Amino acid sequence: MHNTATIGEDRRAGGESQRPGGESRGKGESRRLDIEAIRKDFPILETTVYGYPLVYLDNAATTQKPLAVLNAMDEYYRTINSNVHRGVHYLSQRATDAVEAARVTLADFINARHAYEVIFTRGTTESINLVAACFGKKFLQEGDSILVSGMEHHSNIVPWQMICEEKKATLKVIPIDENGELILDGLDEVLRGGVKLVAFNYVSNALGTINPAREIIAAAHRHGIPVLLDAAQAIQHMAVDVQDLDVDFLAFSSHKLYGPTGIGILYGKEEWLNQLPPYQGGGEMIKTVTFARTTYNDLPFKFEAGTPDMAGMIGLGAAVRYVQELGLDNIQHAEHELMGYALDVLREIKGFRLIGNVDAGHRAGVISFLVGNIHPFDMGEILDQQGIAVRTGHHCAQPIMDRYCIPGTVRASLAVYNTPAEMDRLAAGIRKAVTLLG
Amino acid sequence: MTIQETQDEIIDDFEVFGDWMDKYEHIIQMGKELPLIDPQYKTEDNLIKGCQSKVWLHAEYRDGNLYFTADSDAAITKGLVSMVIQVLSGHTPEQITGAEIYFIDAIGLRNHLSSTRSNGLLSMLKQIKLYALAFQAKSLQSKL
C-alpha cells in the first residue's frame, strides 16, 4: 500500500555505513529483524529495576531512543549548534541545512509531495490544536459540526470541543462496537449533515484497533470534507503514505517513534495549509513587519513561529532514518508476530479479558486488558515491582472506558525491541499479581 | 498510642518482610481490616477522586476525637487507606492537623505520596486534615 520500501532501497543504494539491527538484507526482500542486535542500539534497555531486568512495555506512551538519535543530538550541540534560517555565518548555515534535511527525511518518510507540507510542531497534540484553531477560525460557523470517533485520545477531542464551543458548532461522534471497531453504517448520512472536518485516529491508543482510514477518508472526500488523521499510534508500527491515503492533515509525535520528546509533525496538503491563517505570531513566520501590517512567510515557516527545536528536528530525522533502515514492513511483521505470541500466552491466564479487538490482524501496538476483578492500578503496581513497565488507567481516552463501563485497563504496548521472552515475563508477572490480589 | 507511635509500629512491622511479595500481601491484608464506610455514606460527595483509584471517606466526631471509615476500589490503595486510618482515627482534630505522615515513605511506597495524579491517597490525607480543621474550628467556636 505504500512505497517506503522504495525509499529504503534508495538509501541502501546510497551506501549506508551503519545498519541498525546488525544484519544484511537482500534487495527488496522483507527481512527478519535481529531483535537482540536492535536491543543493543537502546542503552536504556539494560536498566535493572528492583533487581529485575527492565521489561519496557509502555511504548505507546513513549518509546526508548536508539544511539543513532542520541548521537545525532549530541553531535548537533557539539558541532553546529546555532540559530537557523537567519544567520549569515557558517554554523547557522550548517544548522539550517541539517534541520531542512530532517524535513526532507520526514517528507520522504510519509511520502509527502513537498517538504514544505511538513510542519514541525511540539507533537501530535499541538498539531491537532493548530488545525483545530486555524481551520476552525477560517471555516467553522454556527451550526456546523466536526466529526470525531468514539475511540479518540483526549488530544483529538478537546481541541475540537474548544473551537466548537467558540464557534457554536457541534462535535459529532462515530460510535464504536463491543469489539472496539468503529460503526461506519450511517457515516454518509452524518457526513451530509453539516460536517466541516473529520478527525480520527489511525490506531487507537487505548485499544490498539487499526481503523479503516482509507475508507473513511474516501467517504469524507465524496462529500468534499477534509480529514485529519491522528497517526500518533500508527506511524511507528506501519508504513503511512499520505498520498496513498489521500489524507488532508496528518499528525504524529517524534517521541513515540524512537525520537526525542517535544517535537512532532503536522503534515498538511499544500492547498489546505495555504488556506489556513497562521497559528502563532512571532519570528520566522513573517515576511515583513511594520506596526501597520505584517505579511506572513510561506510554507512551512508560516506555521513555525519562533526559534524551532533544532536538536529535536535533527533527532527526529535520525529516528526516522533508523526506522527506515530497519524497514517499517519488517517492523510491522515482527511486531505482528510478537502481538500474536503475546495474546496466546496472555489468554492462558485465568480471568484474562482483552479489551477491544480479539483479532491480532486488526490491531497494532497495544494490548489493553483486565484480569478478573483486579483493579488496573493494583496490577500495574505489582508488575512494576517485578520490573515490568506498563500503563494503567483510562489512557486519556475516558469515553472508551465509559463505553465498556470499566474504570480503566492495564495496557502493555509493544515496540520493535520487545521479545517473546518479555511476553513470558509479563504473563508470569500477571500470574504473580493474581496470586496476591485475586 | 500517639500518631507517631502507631506509625513507628507500622514501620517496625514492615521491617521483618524480606521480599516485596510479603510486604504487599501484608498491605492487602490490612485493607481487609479497614473499618468500612457505611454504604449510605458511599456517595459522590464523600468520593475522593484520584486519577486511578477511588477512595470514599467518612468522618465522625465523638467525645472530642475524630473517627474515620473508608473504602477503595483498589486493593493496595485500600490497604494504605486502612493504615492511614489506623494511624489517625481516634485522635483530636488538633493532633490530626499537626500530624506528619511519614510511614508510607518509610515502608517504601513513596510513589503513593509523590504524585497526586497517580492515586487518591494524597488527596485523602488532605481531606482528613480538612475534616480535622473544620472540627477544630467548630470546637473553638463552641468554646467562645
Side-chain angles (χ1 to χ4, degrees):
Chain A
M1 84 173 235
H2 44 70
N3 58 9
T4 46
T6 321
I7 294 165
E9 244 157 65
D10 290 342
R11 294 183 45 72
R12 260 171 292 161
E16 289 299 313
S17 55
Q18 279 185 314
R19 178 163 291 155
E23 215 177 86
S24 64
R25 57 180 160 175
K27 196 177 179 217
E29 291 166 15
S30 77
R31 169 176 64 124
R32 177 166 278 274
L33 297 172
D34 179 350
I35 305 297
E36 286 308 319
I38 289 171
R39 288 181 72 83
K40 293 198 173 70
D41 294 334
F42 293 82
I44 206 170
L45 296 179
E46 286 160 29
T47 304
T48 301
V49 177
Y50 314 124
Y52 297 93
L54 168 69
V55 175
Y56 186 76
L57 296 174
D58 195 17
N59 294 291
T62 198
T63 56
Q64 301 303 344
K65 321 305 174 197
L67 284 167
V69 169
L70 305 179
N71 291 342
M73 295 176 77
D74 185 69
E75 196 188 327
Y76 165 76
Y77 280 123
R78 283 176 191 278
T79 61
I80 58 169
N81 174 53
S82 186
N83 209 333
V84 290
H85 296 137
R86 282 178 290 276
V88 293
H89 58 82
Y90 174 79
L91 284 186
S92 177
Q93 305 223 347
R94 289 279 309 275
T96 303
D97 290 348
V99 301
E100 289 312 316
R103 197 189 305 274
V104 171
T105 300
L106 266 296
D108 277 351
F109 181 55
I110 57 172
N111 196 28
R113 200 171 279 117
H114 308 289
Y116 54 74
E117 292 175 319
V118 172
I119 314 289
F120 285 104
T121 64
R122 284 190 299 134
T124 309
T125 298
E126 189 176 64
S127 297
I128 296 171
N129 273 282
L130 188 160
V131 177
C134 300
F135 183 92
K137 190 173 174 184
K138 179 93 180 261
F139 294 105
L140 211 57
Q141 287 170 357
E142 187 168 348
D144 290 342
S145 54
I146 298 285
L147 181 64
V148 298
S149 94
M151 63 173 86
E152 295 310 309
H153 188 282
H154 296 164
S155 297
N156 204 19
I157 301 173
V158 183
W160 303 112
Q161 267 174 341
M162 287 164 67
I163 192 70
C164 281
E165 196 174 342
E166 194 184 317
K167 295 284 181 175
K168 299 193 173 66
T170 52
L171 190 66
K172 292 182 177 168
V173 183
I174 305 170
I176 59 175
D177 65 17
E178 188 63 25
N179 204 21
E181 304 249 20
L182 295 178
I183 301 170
L184 296 177
D185 304 341
L187 177 63
D188 269 307
E189 207 161 312
V190 177
L191 290 170
R192 258 193 291 274
V195 172
K196 283 287 146 73
L197 184 141
V198 181
F200 67 98
N201 56 29
Y202 204 162
V203 173
S204 154
N205 78 304
L207 303 174
T209 314
I210 303 173
N211 285 316
R214 194 195 305 259
E215 189 187 325
I216 298 170
I217 293 164
H221 285 176
R222 279 198 296 276
H223 298 269
I225 302 166
V227 174
L228 178 141
L229 190 61
D230 170 358
Q233 299 292 347
I235 198 83
Q236 64 281 55
H237 299 302
M238 53 210 244
V240 174
D241 179 327
V242 291
Q243 290 190 61
D244 181 61
L245 288 166
D246 196 23
V247 72
D248 305 281
F249 299 102
L250 183 91
F252 61 92
S253 296
S254 154
H255 73 98
K256 295 183 200 289
L257 178 62
Y258 309 102
T261 53
I263 187 108
I265 294 295
L266 171 66
Y267 158 83
K269 280 183 187 165
E270 180 180 10
E271 58 265 38
W272 278 113
L273 290 177
N274 275 332
Q275 287 184 72
L276 299 188
Y279 183 45
Q280 293 174 331
E284 188 95 57
M285 55 78 72
I286 51 90
K287 233 174 216 160
T288 59
V289 178
T290 66
F291 282 110
R293 189 180 136 73
T294 293
T295 56
Y296 302 123
N297 208 336
D298 299 324
L299 294 175
F301 308 113
K302 176 174 130 186
F303 293 105
E304 292 180 354
T307 294
D309 177 1
M310 285 91 75
M313 293 154 115
I314 288 164
L316 172 54
V320 165
R321 285 197 303 277
Y322 180 82
V323 165
Q324 286 177 325
E325 280 300 309
L326 294 178
L328 259 172
D329 288 343
N330 300 322
I331 292 173
Q332 187 176 17
H333 185 72
E335 289 181 354
H336 179 72
E337 262 187 18
L338 189 64
M339 171 70 78
Y341 180 78
L343 291 178
D344 284 348
V345 295
L346 293 174
R347 279 202 192 99
E348 285 171 21
I349 296 167
K350 196 166 168 278
F352 178 83
R353 179 184 164 204
L354 184 71
I355 307 297
N357 202 310
V358 292
D359 180 358
H362 281 231
R363 49 167 55 245
V366 166
I367 303 169
S368 223
F369 65 93
L370 291 169
V371 182
N373 291 322
I374 295 173
H375 196 285
F377 189 48
D378 288 331
M379 176 64 78
E381 182 155 356
I382 299 301
L383 290 175
D384 172 58
Q385 288 295 318
Q386 303 171 77
I388 302 164
V390 294
R391 182 143 294 225
T392 65
H394 54 59
H395 318 300
C396 298
Q398 272 176 342
I400 298 189
M401 302 305 143
D402 295 344
R403 166 70 180 76
Y404 284 97
C405 302
I406 51 178
T409 70
V410 186
R411 184 185 73 181
S413 51
L414 311 179
V416 66
Y417 42 65
N418 290 124
T419 65
E422 289 181 311
M423 300 306 120
D424 292 339
R425 284 267 311 275
L426 173 65
I430 293 170
R431 286 205 167 85
K432 208 162 206 177
V434 171
T435 53
L436 261 176
L437 298 158
Chain B
M1 259 197 297
T2 66
I3 287 171
Q4 193 177 339
E5 281 164 352
T6 317
Q7 292 196 78
D8 291 342
E9 196 178 78
I10 290 174
I11 294 166
D12 285 345
D13 286 347
F14 271 85
E15 268 171 10
V16 304
F17 298 126
D19 86 355
W20 66 269
M21 283 279 281
D22 296 339
K23 188 166 87 177
Y24 277 91
E25 219 164 312
H26 184 67
I27 295 167
I28 292 159
Q29 185 53 41
M30 294 294 292
K32 291 173 183 158
E33 293 165 20
L34 168 70
L36 277 182
I37 189 169
D38 190 311
Q40 64 166 318
Y41 298 123
K42 226 169 159 177
T43 59
E44 194 68 17
D45 277 352
N46 287 331
L47 179 66
I48 297 162
K49 278 189 181 138
C51 188
Q52 299 221 1
S53 57
K54 292 177 178 172
V55 175
W56 292 267
L57 178 74
H58 177 66
E60 253 179 62
Y61 189 60
R62 288 199 308 269
D63 311 324
N65 292 322
L66 268 173
Y67 295 86
F68 297 97
T69 53
D71 200 0
S72 172
D73 60 346
I76 297 166
T77 310
K78 194 167 165 180
L80 291 168
V81 167
S82 175
M83 287 188 274
V84 169
I85 284 182
Q86 193 192 326
V87 166
L88 293 175
S89 218
H91 292 280
T92 67
E94 290 77 9
Q95 286 164 339
I96 293 169
T97 51
E100 186 206 339
I101 298 298
Y102 53 84
F103 81 91
I104 295 163
D105 200 351
I107 63 176
L109 293 164
R110 187 163 36 95
N111 58 339
H112 282 270
L113 281 183
S114 60
S115 164
T116 45
R117 281 168 62 89
S118 65
N119 63 82
L121 196 64
L122 200 70
S123 334
M124 184 189 109
L125 273 174
K126 275 188 195 146
Q127 190 58 44
I128 285 181
K129 293 216 170 182
L130 275 177
Y131 273 127
L133 262 178
F135 282 107
Q136 199 176 347
K138 221 184 255 177
S139 68
L140 277 177
Q141 258 177 353
S142 62
K143 278 176 198 160
L144 290 174

